[in-house]
Amino acid sequence: MQEMGGDDKKIHTLDMEMLGKADVVVAEVTQPSLGVGYELGRAVAQKKRILCLFRPDCGKSLSAMVRGAEDGDTFIVKDYKEPDADEIFKDFFRKVEAKK
């Protein structure tokens, strides 16, 4: 088994620092990623507002752990096509601002 390099710790520490400072998290979740899943879990634990974007036309399925976390308020999952992304962002951030 290969040892973890020192860079792994630095990446984790930096990512967690940035997450701690963030007001919201936006994640493109079409490509499965353990790292993104971990960050989303930490964001939920920190009560961050989350927007996950998934492209259903890619031939993949979205994890039930992500889709099932949607609550319509603080954790939003949107199926999208690229031309729709700007409007999804505007709507999400409008709602974030309204909750402040």
Side-chain angles (χ1 to χ4, degrees):
M1 183 172 183
Q2 188 177 15
E3 277 187 47
M4 287 184 3
D7 288 342
D8 292 342
K9 186 68 171 172
K10 289 177 187 174
I11 290 169
H12 178 270
T13 299
L14 181 60
D15 281 3
M16 292 302 100
E17 286 174 2
M18 288 189 295
L19 181 61
K21 294 176 183 176
D23 294 325
V24 300
V25 173
V26 176
E28 211 297 336
V29 295
T30 304
Q31 178 65 37
S33 167
L34 294 174
V36 171
Y38 176 81
E39 289 171 338
L40 289 173
R42 296 292 294 259
V44 168
Q46 294 178 30
K47 301 190 184 326
K48 304 287 184 180
R49 293 183 56 94
I50 300 165
L51 171 63
C52 293
L53 300 170
F54 177 74
R55 291 187 321 274
D57 59 353
C58 70
K60 298 178 183 178
S61 296
L62 180 58
S63 166
M65 292 300 292
V66 173
R67 177 96 52 205
E70 181 171 10
D71 62 12
D73 183 36
T74 58
F75 197 111
I76 306 295
V77 177
K78 292 284 187 183
D79 291 351
Y80 81 107
K81 292 185 178 180
E82 200 166 326
D84 303 328
D86 284 345
E87 194 57 39
I88 292 169
F89 291 137
K90 286 176 188 174
D91 184 54
F92 176 74
F93 286 107
R94 217 178 352 254
K95 290 176 182 173
V96 167
E97 286 299 313
K99 298 255 179 185
K100 284 187 175 181

